[in-house]
Amino acid sequence: KVFESGNCGTATYAQVSSDTVSVVNRAVWDDGSIDIANGEAQCSKDGYAYCIVNFSWWAPIYGPNYWVTSTDYTNYSIVYSCTDYFYGLFHTEFMWVLTRATAPASGVITNIESAVSTVGN
């Protein structure tokens, strides 16, 4: 069961301090059950758009693993994650599109599609 593969996923962020954000991810499954993952992000103070996000005490992350690659600061953000676990034994890459609206306007979707097409280029 991969957390992000639920029917409806949400992420809730709240500022804890000047460089710390709490992260609560929720996934709803086909049977109606809900999984919750609580984490914490330590974010850059140097003006770059990255954070170190941890959801587990047993597999801590020590380097940036959450980069905001694009945002309009109002409607959406595109986030890329690339992480090695257990000294490189496991490697994961993800990209998320985060929106404030559950049904973004067509112009916002067009902007997102354009921004997504440039990630990694």
Side-chain angles (χ1 to χ4, degrees):
K1 196 157 131 169
V2 175
F3 191 83
E4 285 88 3
S5 65
N7 284 334
C8 180
T10 63
T12 304
Y13 304 93
Q15 189 167 357
V16 175
S17 67
S18 65
D19 67 342
T20 304
V21 176
S22 69
V23 181
V24 180
N25 290 343
R26 290 179 179 83
V28 179
W29 300 98
D30 290 337
D31 65 2
S33 64
I34 298 172
D35 279 341
I36 298 173
N38 293 299
E40 185 174 273
Q42 298 289 318
C43 297
S44 162
K45 293 182 183 179
D46 59 12
Y48 294 98
Y50 68 82
C51 298
I52 300 169
V53 182
N54 276 301
F55 285 97
S56 172
W57 60 268
W58 57 268
I61 306 298
Y62 297 105
N65 64 332
Y66 191 98
W67 288 271
V68 178
T69 63
S70 179
T71 184
D72 70 355
Y73 296 97
T74 305
N75 299 295
Y76 77 90
S77 292
I78 298 171
V79 177
Y80 171 76
S81 177
C82 174
T83 306
D84 287 326
Y85 296 95
F86 303 111
Y87 305 101
L89 185 60
F90 299 101
H91 177 82
T92 63
E93 290 185 62
F94 293 99
M95 183 179 72
W96 298 277
V97 175
L98 308 173
T99 64
R100 292 187 186 268
T102 55
S106 61
V108 173
I109 292 173
T110 299
N111 292 343
I112 291 169
E113 289 171 341
S114 175
V116 164
S117 69
T118 65
V119 173
N121 292 333

